[in-house]
């Protein structure tokens, strides 16, 4: 039986110092059959012109591949459309394309970008590319069977050249092989693709001393199996639905998270286990968590979830707060790690009862705000590539 894999995808760019837009562009298409098409394109130069060229390249190529057009035809169409700079003898946009199926079969096509790296068990696996020439442009292709735990890393040359300041020799650049050596040991630590990508670009930013000398982009894919997490927050609108809600919640496979004091008491009563509230306050801004035998995580309710929402929004942008939620032990940080890094499928069980505690004039948490927070978190998780289902009671 072939194991179905999940492609966890993370990407981010640094814009060249002094420019307003990045000349690199990444396009990701998730298809109904579970496959994904990813393209990293690097426009020649920087600024608006480079951005337009890379965006066109990534958009056109990804959509042609997603439409199941012959890969040679796709590459030829792109190659023929891209002129070559008469001075620098370089195409106006380079690219790396990956087409990954749910069984882990991956077709890679690259043109003039730094060579993609396949990292397995903390070591780089050599790839045997086949070269083909399209209108004097050499394009490399390879098809590889990916495994659980594999990491694919592709970068633009801005990452490769990190450390090169204006007027400096390229002898000071970081280099593609050194980048792989830097990231490979981290690939076995269980980090998400987004976190690995953030760590890499933070290092690039540091080597550029905060002033990137070129547009710098990294695209990371981490192959894993699907992991389900079930989250229950809030009691049902009707008291008689407590049993029904908990029965459906605990019948789901995967890990179980309960948020909120009343919800925790309902879960403890359903399981016939005591609710133990922690006396240790790790973060003054995050209410204390608790434990129930048979529940993987017990936290306070909407205040904790709102903090997770803040982390989620930042995760989708620059991911600057990852150093907080990635290592802290409070309820919000632990829940963020579970949702962002562990889960591929998330089931929300949302009770519609109005919490009397939230009606205090000192707390600006109405029922509508609570529902909006949960909905916004679900939307952020969808943007991370998670499969989300919401059940209301």
């Amino acid at each position: 039986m072939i194991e179905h894999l999940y492609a966890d995808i993370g990407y981010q760019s640094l814009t060249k110092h002094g420019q307003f837009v990045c000349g690199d562009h990444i396009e990701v298409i998730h298809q109904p059959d579970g496959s994904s098409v990813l393209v990293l394109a690097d426009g020649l130069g920087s600024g608006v012109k480079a951005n337009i060229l890379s965006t066109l390249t990534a958009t056109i190529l990804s959509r042609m591949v997603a439409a199941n057009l012959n890969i040679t035809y796709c590459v030829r169409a792109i190659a023929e459309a891209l002129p070559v700079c008469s001075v620098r003898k370089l195409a106006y946009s380079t690219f790396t394309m990956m087409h990954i199926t749910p069984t882990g079969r991956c077709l890679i096509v690259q043109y003039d970008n730094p060579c993609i790296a396949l990292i397995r068990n903390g070591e780089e696996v050599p790839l045997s590319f086949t070269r083909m020439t399209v209108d004097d442009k050499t394009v490399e292709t390879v098809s590889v069977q990916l495994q659980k735990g594999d990491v694919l890393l592709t970068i633009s040359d801005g990452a490769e050249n990190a450390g090169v300041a204006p007027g400096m020799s390229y002898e000071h650049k970081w280099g593609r092989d050194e980048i792989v050596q830097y990231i490979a040991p981290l690939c076995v630590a269980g980090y998400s693709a987004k976190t690995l990508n953030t760590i890499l670009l933070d290092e690039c930013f540091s080597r550029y001393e905060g002033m990137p000398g070129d547009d710098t982009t990294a695209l990371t894919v981490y192959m894993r199996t699907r992991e389900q997490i079930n989250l229950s927050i809030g009691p049902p609108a009707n008291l008689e639905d407590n049993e029904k809600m908990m029965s459906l919640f605990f019948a789901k496979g995967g890990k179980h998270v309960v948020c909120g004091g009343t919800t925790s008491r309902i879960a403890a009563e359903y399981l016939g286990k005591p609710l133990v509230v922690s006396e240790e306050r790790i973060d003054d801004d995050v209410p204390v968590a608790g434990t129930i035998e048979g529940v993987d995580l017990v936290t306070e309710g909407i205040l904790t979830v709102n903090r997770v929402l803040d982390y989620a929004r930042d995760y989708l942008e620059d991911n600057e707060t990852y150093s907080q939620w990635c290592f802290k032990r409070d309820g919000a940080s632990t829940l963020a790690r579970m949702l962002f890094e562990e889960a591929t499928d998330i089931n929300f069980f949302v009770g519609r009862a109005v919490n009397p505690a939230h009606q205090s004039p000192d707390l600006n948490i109405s029922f509508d705000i609570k529902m909006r927070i949960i909905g916004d978190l679900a939307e952020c998780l969808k943007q991370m590539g998670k499969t989300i289902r919401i059940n209301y009671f």
Side-chain angles (χ1 to χ4, degrees), residues 185-339:
L186 301 174
C187 292
V188 297
Y191 291 124
S192 68
K194 178 74 173 185
T195 299
L196 287 171
N197 216 73
T198 301
I199 292 171
L200 175 58
L201 283 199
D202 280 353
E203 180 65 18
C204 289
F205 190 74
S206 176
R207 287 173 179 265
Y208 274 127
E209 297 182 352
M211 294 183 291
D214 193 6
D215 297 311
T216 303
T217 300
L219 168 61
T220 305
V221 180
Y222 171 41
M223 302 303 297
R224 46 183 301 197
T225 51
R226 304 198 74 88
E227 300 290 341
Q228 183 165 269
I229 287 182
N230 309 286
L231 187 151
S232 177
I233 179 168
N238 297 316
L239 185 65
E240 57 268 23
D241 287 337
N242 285 0
E243 182 85 9
K244 175 184 176 182
M245 179 176 174
M246 287 296 128
S247 176
L248 293 171
F249 174 65
F250 285 108
K252 292 286 186 181
K255 292 186 176 181
H256 295 83
V257 177
V258 177
C259 300
T262 303
T263 315
S264 299
R265 289 190 289 273
I266 293 172
E269 182 179 341
Y270 177 82
L271 294 173
K273 303 292 183 180
L275 165 62
V276 180
V277 179
S278 173
E279 297 182 358
E280 181 183 15
R281 193 177 188 91
I282 300 171
D283 188 323
D284 290 338
D285 295 327
V286 179
V288 296
T291 58
I292 302 172
E293 185 180 339
V295 179
D296 296 281
L297 178 65
V298 178
T299 76
E300 182 276 337
I302 204 63
L303 297 177
T304 298
V305 173
N306 192 45
R307 173 62 69 88
V308 176
L309 174 59
D310 290 339
Y311 289 150
R313 286 170 170 159
D314 177 72
Y315 183 97
L316 292 170
E317 297 295 333
D318 297 329
N319 201 21
E320 292 180 349
T321 58
Y322 86 95
S323 58
Q324 299 176 35
W325 58 260
C326 197
F327 301 105
K328 291 170 68 174
R329 296 183 297 109
D330 62 89
S333 298
T334 303
L335 180 56
R337 287 195 296 274
M338 293 177 71
L339 297 179

Side-chain angles (χ1 to χ4, degrees), residues 60 75 80 90 97 148 161-162 167 180 224 255 285 301 340 350 352 360 370 376 389:
I60 294 170
V75 173
E80 290 177 348
L90 295 170
M97 188 282 296
K148 179 183 177 182
N161 296 329
V180 175
R224 46 183 301 197
K255 292 186 176 181
D285 295 327
F340 303 171
V350 182
R352 291 181 179 271
S360 167
K370 171 186 170 181
D376 288 350
R389 298 178 182 85

